Amino acid sequence: MKIEKITNMKWLNIFNVSYKNKKGQDSNWTFASRKQNPVLGEELKPDAVVIVPIHKTPEGDKLVLIKEFRIPLGDYEYGFPAGLIENENNVDSAKRELFEETGLNLTKIIHVSPPCVSSAGLSDESVVYVICECEGTINKDNLEENEDITANSMNLKDLKNLYKSGSKLSAKCVPFLMTFIMNGKIEFNMIPWAKI
Amino acid sequence: MKIEKITNMKWLNIFNVSYKNKKGQDSNWTFASRKQNPVLGEELKPDAVVIVPIHKTPEGDKLVLIKEFRIPLGDYEYGFPAGLIENENNVDSAKRELFEETGLNLTKIIHVSPPCVSSAGLSDESVVYVICECEGTINKDNLEENEDITANSMNLKDLKNLYKSGSKLSAKCVPFLMTFIMNGKIEFNMIPWAKI
């Protein structure tokens, strides 16, 4: 396989790969990468962390979602707090991003997923899901200048209404919304993880 | 917001958006799109369908995952059968892709999600999740020439082993794997959907 860099942008570039398909025919595949020089076949090094925050409140456990203006959509999207991993481990990144985007404090890690690929036909971007508990009061004190984000602590009824609302939703968030709605409760059963 | 097309590729292009952030400062955002001329702010028209197939077998319900060689990874990835939606509705697309990639027949639609965005910081790509039941025997008779795919019908133990294996996994698949592993069973409770 031969990889060619098509663009020379700072944050995201397009690459074209020439390869022979399983029948030996010459083929091409175009993909986008946040890496300046991606190496095909290397181990996944997660680009970003996606935080699944269970908010411990006097009214019970809620799920924290953010409403963020997304330039590529030209619109707001509801999803989980998330961000690119800087020089830090996945858990520290989750603590930092959760605090920056919601003002909440991560108090307990429930599970950290293996790195997984956002959309492998489109890009080599990979993320880790960090399922955690958090406490505190939502605020906007720590948002970055370019971030237009409103965090919401949502109970099951809120999640159902959001799911039906027609608002733009994140594909990383929707499976968890389905799960909580189907199970009729916002809960992660932690016991099985020990058995995995 | 002003959008500029940076590349002129057939399947995927890079766009740069000039905009003023919430403090009125000039900013830029780069994203990738499968659309030749994306319109910021328009309704989501799903690019692809992601099928969550429950395989009805004599040994009980299993989950069908595919192992597919992904050029942008230069490696195999485990995920759900999926594909770009052609001139067809979401359910017909799911039936077609499931049959092409696994040889299985979609027998019952459990739920179709709203369109949701794969990775909104990176791209405007959106997908729908189609949760369904399927029957039949897995085969490779209907794969396209460029597809290097092996379908697997997996029970809970298989899913746990895969989750721990270090294999590259799809971010659209992992939340469902977590759910089934946490719940200790491969099952979607269909009743709540009627209540949504």
Side-chain angles (χ1 to χ4, degrees), chain A residues 142-158:
Chain A
N142 308 288
L143 287 180
E144 295 175 12
E145 284 184 350
N146 276 326
E147 293 180 323
D148 177 356
I149 292 176
T150 303
N152 303 279
S153 185
M154 309 179 85
N155 62 24
L156 194 63
K157 187 164 179 294
D158 300 327

Side-chain angles (χ1 to χ4, degrees), chain A residues 22 111 119 125 129 147 163, chain B residues 22 111 119 125 147 163 171:
Chain A
K22 62 187 178 187
H111 179 69
S119 188
E125 183 193 67
Y129 290 102
E147 293 180 323
Y163 191 79
Chain B
K22 64 188 177 187
H111 179 69
S119 188
E125 182 192 66
E147 292 179 323
Y163 191 79

Side-chain angles (χ1 to χ4, degrees), chain B residues 20-153:
Chain B
K20 287 192 184 299
N21 69 15
K22 64 188 177 187
K23 291 194 172 184
Q25 302 158 324
D26 292 327
S27 303
N28 287 278
W29 196 278
T30 308
F31 73 96
S33 179
R34 298 186 186 279
K35 299 182 175 68
Q36 285 298 329
N37 295 293
V39 178
L40 299 178
E42 72 181 353
E43 285 297 296
L44 292 182
K45 183 174 175 304
D47 297 281
V49 61
V50 176
I51 305 144
V52 186
I54 306 296
H55 191 195
K56 311 301 283 188
T57 82
E59 303 83 48
D61 289 0
K62 298 183 176 184
L63 189 66
V64 180
L65 269 63
I66 64 170
K67 178 186 180 185
E68 179 172 13
F69 191 81
R70 296 292 203 167
I71 300 297
L73 304 181
D75 199 356
Y76 288 90
E77 179 206 43
Y78 284 86
F80 289 125
L84 297 179
I85 299 169
E86 298 170 3
N87 276 339
E88 59 199 343
N89 66 43
N90 298 339
V91 169
D92 289 343
S93 179
K95 287 180 181 173
R96 179 181 54 76
E97 286 288 349
L98 180 65
F99 185 71
E100 288 178 4
E101 298 191 343
T102 71
L104 300 172
N105 298 306
L106 194 160
T107 51
K108 184 181 192 179
I109 294 291
I110 297 177
H111 179 69
V112 179
S113 80
C116 40
V117 185
S118 292
S119 188
L122 175 78
S123 172
D124 59 358
E125 182 192 66
S126 65
V127 304
V128 289
Y129 290 101
V130 176
I131 301 177
C132 62
E133 294 181 357
C134 58
E135 297 177 3
T137 307
I138 287 173
N139 66 73
K140 295 190 175 193
D141 301 346
N142 308 287
L143 287 179
E144 295 175 12
E145 284 184 349
N146 276 325
E147 292 179 323
D148 178 355
I149 293 175
T150 303
N152 302 278
S153 184

Side-chain angles (χ1 to χ4, degrees), chain A residues 64-180:
Chain A
V64 181
L65 269 65
I66 63 170
K67 178 186 180 186
E68 178 172 14
F69 191 81
R70 296 292 204 167
I71 301 297
L73 304 181
D75 199 355
Y76 288 91
E77 179 206 43
Y78 284 85
F80 289 126
L84 297 179
I85 298 168
E86 298 169 5
N87 275 340
E88 59 198 343
N89 64 43
N90 298 338
V91 169
D92 289 343
S93 179
K95 286 180 182 173
R96 179 182 54 76
E97 286 287 351
L98 179 65
F99 185 71
E100 287 179 6
E101 298 191 344
T102 71
L104 300 172
N105 298 307
L106 193 160
T107 52
K108 184 183 195 177
I109 295 291
I110 297 177
H111 179 69
V112 179
S113 81
C116 41
V117 185
S118 293
S119 188
L122 175 78
S123 173
D124 60 358
E125 183 193 67
S126 65
V127 304
V128 289
Y129 290 102
V130 176
I131 301 176
C132 62
E133 293 181 357
C134 58
E135 296 178 3
T137 306
I138 286 172
N139 66 72
K140 296 190 174 191
D141 300 347
N142 308 288
L143 287 180
E144 295 175 12
E145 284 184 350
N146 276 326
E147 293 180 323
D148 177 356
I149 292 176
T150 303
N152 303 279
S153 185
M154 309 179 85
N155 62 24
L156 194 63
K157 187 164 179 294
D158 300 327
L159 296 182
K160 290 181 180 181
N161 290 336
L162 173 63
Y163 191 79
K164 291 184 300 180
S165 68
S167 302
K168 293 181 168 70
L169 305 172
S170 161
K172 299 188 175 86
C173 179
V174 159
F176 291 98
L177 296 188
M178 287 180 177
T179 300
F180 293 139

